[in-house]
Amino acid sequence: MKVENLEIDKVIPYFNNPRKNMAVEKVAMSIKEYGFQQPIVVDNNMSIIVGHTRYEAAKSLNLEKIPVVIANISHEKAKADIVIIAEKVLSGIIHY
């Protein structure tokens, strides 16, 4: 896994992010105090797959660059995987 420090403006938030109650302020405080402990994961189109709250926290801190992992998958593939996991959680196959 290669972590790259990319300009925040190159990263695109996924428009249909299901998380609505992001703890942006708390995550921003954590990033400010400890730095990034986990990179943001994006697809080949630079659209966020994982890390929307970290992205918003970084924006609130006016960071110019953020740690990013570019996953070699399309957003459609990532979305399909998320649906499969969600169905397993809801059916009780996987406990969250």
Side-chain angles (χ1 to χ4, degrees):
M1 173 172 69
K2 182 180 175 190
V3 178
E4 302 178 39
N5 283 316
L6 298 180
E7 293 175 16
I8 197 166
D9 294 339
K10 293 187 180 207
V11 176
I12 305 164
Y14 177 53
F15 73 95
N16 206 16
N17 177 24
R19 183 173 284 183
K20 303 299 179 208
N21 298 320
M22 295 189 276
V24 174
E25 289 179 25
K26 289 181 181 179
V27 173
M29 287 189 322
S30 175
I31 291 171
K32 190 173 183 179
E33 186 168 345
Y34 304 108
F36 269 88
Q37 298 301 308
Q38 190 175 29
I40 295 168
V41 180
V42 298
D43 65 13
N44 294 328
N45 296 320
M46 301 305 289
S47 182
I48 298 173
I49 297 171
V50 178
H52 288 86
T53 305
R54 281 170 273 154
Y55 170 81
E56 292 297 334
K59 280 184 24 182
S60 77
L61 293 170
N62 297 314
L63 298 182
E64 293 179 13
K65 292 191 174 192
I66 54 175
V68 173
V69 171
I70 301 172
N72 192 20
I73 58 174
S74 71
H75 204 83
E76 294 307 313
K77 168 74 171 118
K79 191 165 77 172
D81 289 346
I82 290 168
V83 169
I84 291 167
I85 292 168
E87 287 179 359
K88 288 181 179 182
V89 169
L90 291 174
S91 67
I93 295 172
I94 297 176
H95 300 284
Y96 177 73

